[in-house]
Amino acid sequence: MEQFLYVFGIFVFIYPICMSIIWCIGSLYFYFRRELPDLKIDPYKDKIDMGVSVIVPAHNEELHIQDTILSILKSKYTKFEILIVDDASTDKTYEKSLEIAEKYDNVKIIKLNQNKGKAMALNIGALAAKYEILLVIDADAILEPDAMIYLVRHFKYGPRVGAVTGNPKVRNRTNLIEKIQTVEYSSIIGLIKRAQRILGKVFTVSGVIVAFRKSAIFDVGLWDIDMITDDINITWKLEKRFYDIRFETQAFCWTMVPHTLKNLWHQRIRWAQGGFEVLFKHKNVWTDIRNRRFWPVYIEYITSGLWAYAFILSLTIVILSQFIPIADVEFNWMAGWLGCLLTLMCLIQFMVAFFIDFIYEKGLYRYVFYVIWYAVFYWLLSAFAVFVACPKALFSHKKTNRIAVWNSPKRKRDHK
């Protein structure tokens, strides 16, 4: 028993240290290879005339839908149409969208009478799209004027490119929870996507902003309506068909993140559940040697799930050991030098993330203070979210004829 708990405790500390090292090395390699100022390419020098169908799936987004549409209309890339797919909103999303659609010929609205979920809305948008490039953007996001051209150029020069994920940034930064997520989008999400791109397989495109090749989407059978996270599943479907998934760091958009702990908790449960659902559904990657580059990604996600359970178990043992004798195991030394090593690696990771993102957002240094909160907050929230989501994913995966509908969380209007 003591030996088991000893190994368990070691794993809780060593795993995040190892992953942090991998993320830092991978992201730095990506940065020095593709993001240095002298390596940047001016996409406007090329004559790119590929049409873009911008699909905006929306459900109860009356507070933000107009800002989103207007930001798309301000794009410097001019050959595009906008398709708003209103998924049976019960607020004034349709009316707000119609106000703009009546003024612009390239803005169209598709209204669904029954809530069928984001995946179904995307499928309908893809069927209605007239252009080969599908740009999917959330209905609460603000698109930067240059984002579209940076995404489109990948499809012109990469015939096997199936999707290009953009680089979302946090738009609302008022309270502590929002500011912690601002740090997360740089120190975790951005670093992971850079590292995964270098290693060969991106676990998921960003659901906030991503461009697809329409023929590739139809080749893999469109989006599956039974998956709770459409972005993760479509990524795996494309990569299993050997389409290239890229990460464009200069394709910015500003997204609204949950501003209450309750909404953030529900979001992370959905993310974790969606990840495990994809692993269960695509477990056949182990039966085809051609999908061997998926194996490290698969193992990493499973290991992260095991770490979450190990973390919660270790935390429970430490708490209970203060009141009852569980086993003759001393955890203090682990929280000593291993804890210091983990803290040091976290600081290095944050330094790397801020170093890379500083070229895009000069004011990021103002959020250094929230790194301290994030290190604890992220681990606790992530661990308990996985603890709850894994059984839910296993149960939901066995259901048939399920449609993953959405319920947009209540959010405040951005005043930035």
Side-chain angles (χ1 to χ4, degrees):
M1 179 65 174
E2 288 81 3
Q3 187 66 26
F4 173 76
L5 293 177
Y6 173 82
V7 174
F8 228 53
I10 292 290
F11 172 67
V12 168
F13 284 96
I14 293 298
Y15 174 71
I17 292 174
C18 292
M19 293 311 303
S20 182
I21 293 173
I22 293 173
W23 294 340
C24 288
I25 294 175
S27 59
L28 284 172
Y29 182 81
F30 184 99
Y31 171 77
F32 285 109
R33 184 180 177 185
R34 303 178 182 179
E35 294 186 78
L36 288 175
D38 57 340
L39 296 176
K40 293 186 182 299
I41 299 173
D42 182 3
Y44 294 103
K45 291 183 179 180
D46 302 328
K47 294 182 179 180
I48 302 176
D49 61 352
M50 302 179 72
V52 180
S53 294
V54 184
I55 304 175
V56 186
H59 179 72
N60 292 344
E61 294 287 356
E62 65 176 358
L63 294 179
H64 307 107
I65 189 66
Q66 288 191 337
D67 293 337
T68 298
I69 300 172
L70 291 174
S71 73
I72 300 170
L73 290 169
K74 293 177 182 177
S75 296
K76 294 181 180 179
Y77 192 79
T78 57
K79 190 176 181 180
F80 66 89
E81 64 172 347
I82 302 176
L83 301 173
I84 302 116
V85 185
D86 181 6
D87 191 17
S89 296
T90 56
D91 62 2
K92 295 182 179 180
T93 297
Y94 176 77
E95 289 77 8
K96 294 286 186 179
S97 303
L98 188 61
E99 289 179 12
I100 300 180
E102 291 177 341
K103 301 176 183 178
Y104 297 90
D105 294 334
N106 62 338
V107 179
K108 302 176 179 64
I109 307 174
I110 302 173
K111 182 170 176 59
L112 307 182
N113 294 323
Q114 185 177 355
N115 186 352
K116 293 292 186 179
K118 184 178 179 180
M120 180 63 79
L122 291 174
N123 287 337
I124 293 173
L127 290 169
K130 69 177 181 178
Y131 293 124
E132 172 63 6
I133 306 303
L134 308 177
L135 173 56
V136 177
I137 181 171
D138 277 356
D140 62 354
I142 299 298
L143 188 69
E144 284 290 319
D146 293 323
M148 201 179 299
I149 183 65
Y150 279 112
L151 293 169
V152 173
R153 65 174 300 274
H154 287 276
F155 296 98
K156 179 177 180 179
Y157 299 107
R160 288 300 300 174
V161 173
V164 183
T165 182
N167 193 3
K169 299 294 182 182
V170 175
R171 177 180 168 190
N172 50 319
R173 306 179 180 187
T174 305
N175 62 26
L176 177 61
I177 293 177
E178 295 166 350
K179 291 176 181 178
I180 290 175
Q181 291 175 84
T182 300
V183 174
E184 177 187 17
Y185 270 68
S186 294
S187 64
I188 290 292
I189 297 177
L191 258 64
I192 289 177
K193 279 188 167 53
R194 286 177 173 88
Q196 288 180 343
R197 174 59 186 160
I198 292 299
L199 294 173
K201 291 294 181 183
V202 176
F203 183 77
T204 179
V205 299
S206 171
V208 179
I209 174 174
V210 55
F212 297 97
R213 191 185 299 274
K214 185 166 69 170
S215 58
I217 290 295
F218 279 91
D219 183 40
V220 300
L222 298 172
W223 287 266
D224 295 336
I225 63 174
D226 62 337
M227 303 298 290
I228 195 170
T229 49
D230 57 276
D231 46 2
I232 305 177
N233 186 55
I234 196 64
T235 304
W236 281 58
K237 290 178 69 174
L238 288 168
E239 290 183 318
K240 283 175 68 177
R241 290 285 292 171
F242 310 108
Y243 286 103
D244 190 17
I245 307 295
R246 298 185 179 181
F247 175 41
E248 177 49 66
T249 59
Q250 296 184 87
F252 291 110
C253 79
W254 302 87
T255 184
M256 298 288 289
V257 295
H259 70 285
T260 66
L261 187 59
K262 178 181 178 181
N263 288 340
L264 180 61
W265 169 251
H266 287 305
Q267 181 197 65
R268 298 313 161 98
I269 289 289
R270 183 175 62 83
W271 285 6
Q273 180 180 340
F276 283 110
E277 285 183 0
V278 168
L279 295 188
F280 296 148
K281 183 167 186 173
H282 297 284
K283 58 182 180 295
N284 60 352
V285 297
W286 292 96
T287 64
D288 190 341
I289 191 65
R290 295 175 300 172
N291 288 321
R292 61 189 177 277
R293 295 180 74 181
F294 266 113
W295 300 347
V297 179
Y298 202 108
I299 292 172
E300 191 277 325
Y301 201 86
I302 289 293
T303 307
S304 68
L306 294 175
W307 175 86
Y309 280 87
F311 176 78
I312 293 175
L313 178 60
S314 299
L315 185 63
T316 303
I317 291 174
V318 170
I319 295 174
L320 292 179
S321 65
Q322 305 301 314
F323 305 97
I324 58 176
I326 297 178
D328 188 21
V329 176
E330 183 61 62
F331 284 94
N332 290 337
W333 71 273
M334 295 181 190
W337 72 272
L338 276 179
C340 291
L341 182 59
L342 179 58
T343 302
L344 176 63
M345 198 61 237
C346 285
L347 291 175
I348 293 175
Q349 178 179 321
F350 290 127
M351 289 172 62
V352 170
F354 278 55
F355 166 74
I356 292 175
D357 266 18
F358 186 75
I359 63 176
Y360 303 115
E361 190 178 352
K362 302 299 183 183
L364 197 60
Y365 67 88
R366 292 176 295 178
Y367 301 93
V368 171
F369 169 77
Y370 302 98
V371 166
I372 303 172
W373 292 91
Y374 171 72
V376 177
F377 184 82
Y378 175 79
W379 285 336
L380 286 173
L381 185 69
S382 297
F384 281 98
V386 169
F387 182 82
V388 174
C390 186
K392 292 182 65 175
L394 183 61
F395 176 75
S396 63
H397 178 67
K398 296 179 179 179
K399 291 183 178 180
T400 58
N401 300 321
R402 183 189 64 151
I403 298 179
V405 298
W406 57 0
N407 289 299
S408 298
K410 293 181 180 179
R411 289 172 296 202
K412 63 183 179 181
R413 184 175 180 85
D414 177 43
H415 295 288
K416 183 178 176 181

